Amino acid sequence: MRIALAEDSTLLREGLVRLLAEEGHHVVAAVGTADELVAAVDQEHPDVVVTDVRMPPTHTDDGLRAALEIRRRRPATRVLVLSQYVEKRYAARLLADRPEGVGYLLKDRVAQVDDFLDALDRVAAGATALDPEVVRQVVAGSDRADPLTRLTPREQDVLHHMAQGHTNAAIAERLHVSLSAVEKHVNAIFDKLDLSGAVGYSRRVLAILRYLGS
């Protein structure tokens, strides 16, 4: 795939360029600021953007805002955002814009090459991919929100994997249960979170957003 990369750490940026090239991807741009990323996407039209959240010039959420601007200008562009820390509000902003083909991953996950590449592939395919640690922290704090306390431990496990972008079949394999069992758990999650009647929206994404909003 054609990838535009934004990371202000030269060492990490060059490491990612090499890793992606070794995997057969074409890095069409590797830049160090959010403004350069937006300009590069306008010029190169990549399939996927990989960007840090905190970047120059303000070192706050410049990378995230650049990602949202890119998605506004070029809706088909997939975006994988990297962050040093768990920032639920950033993940929520990214998903609330349009959840298809977006991901939020902690930088530590990049060192786990297979996990990083798996998330990149899922985002490129149009899925939503959240870092497992983001989901874990959200689940840990979920007892503050009434609808979430209705979920059984197994249903929380299923939602945990849904948030990472896994299909029902993949969840069944990871949890060592049948596909029909996963489908029943998913339907129970939708019922307990009052999402069964949602029309015109992805109920899977709405369930994830409900967690992020807890």
Side-chain angles (χ1 to χ4, degrees):
M1 66 186 80
R2 289 166 48 83
I3 299 173
L5 171 66
E7 166 58 55
D8 62 328
S9 167
T10 302
L11 183 62
L12 179 55
R13 184 172 67 243
E14 293 306 316
L16 284 171
V17 169
R18 170 176 278 190
L19 170 63
L20 293 169
E22 288 176 350
E23 291 297 317
H25 302 305
H26 180 35
V27 179
V28 298
V31 299
T33 71
D35 291 341
E36 289 176 316
L37 174 62
V38 173
V41 170
D42 284 343
Q43 180 175 341
E44 300 292 345
H45 305 167
D47 304 309
V48 181
V49 166
V50 179
T51 180
D52 189 8
V53 169
R54 299 178 182 272
M55 296 184 65
T58 70
H59 293 281
T60 56
D61 62 348
D62 300 85
L64 177 67
R65 286 189 285 108
L68 295 174
E69 176 64 16
I70 288 166
R71 294 272 286 178
R72 185 187 68 80
R73 295 187 187 187
R74 306 188 64 81
T77 305
R78 311 306 194 189
V79 173
L80 177 59
V81 169
L82 305 178
S83 180
Q84 187 69 41
Y85 309 103
V86 174
E87 297 274 8
K88 289 193 293 183
R89 67 184 186 277
Y90 289 161
R93 281 175 61 188
L94 191 65
L95 287 171
D97 174 59
R98 260 180 310 104
E100 297 80 10
V102 299
Y104 183 96
L105 207 62
L106 293 180
K107 284 189 175 181
D108 287 347
R109 200 69 55 189
V110 176
Q112 302 175 34
V113 174
D114 289 344
D115 289 347
F116 169 66
L117 294 174
D118 179 60
L120 181 64
D121 286 342
R122 281 184 276 136
V123 168
T128 302
L130 285 180
D131 193 282
E133 180 61 18
V134 175
V135 180
R136 188 195 69 76
Q137 290 198 23
V138 172
V139 170
S142 65
D143 58 356
R144 295 189 301 273
D146 281 343
L148 299 175
T149 61
R150 304 173 192 168
L151 302 184
T152 66
R154 176 58 82 183
E155 289 163 358
Q156 289 192 5
D157 287 342
V158 170
L159 184 51
H160 179 102
H161 287 83
M162 284 169 56
Q164 295 175 50
H166 297 296
T167 64
N168 287 357
I171 295 171
E173 182 177 351
R174 287 168 177 265
L175 296 182
H176 306 290
V177 297
S178 68
L179 177 60
S180 63
V182 172
E183 291 171 345
K184 289 179 182 178
H185 288 313
V186 170
N187 287 330
I189 290 168
F190 294 155
D191 286 341
K192 292 179 179 180
L193 298 185
D194 299 321
L195 299 176
S196 294
V199 178
Y201 298 92
S202 167
R203 291 183 296 174
R204 294 176 84 91
V205 172
L206 289 175
I208 296 167
L209 286 172
R210 186 70 56 85
Y211 259 117
L212 289 173
S214 65

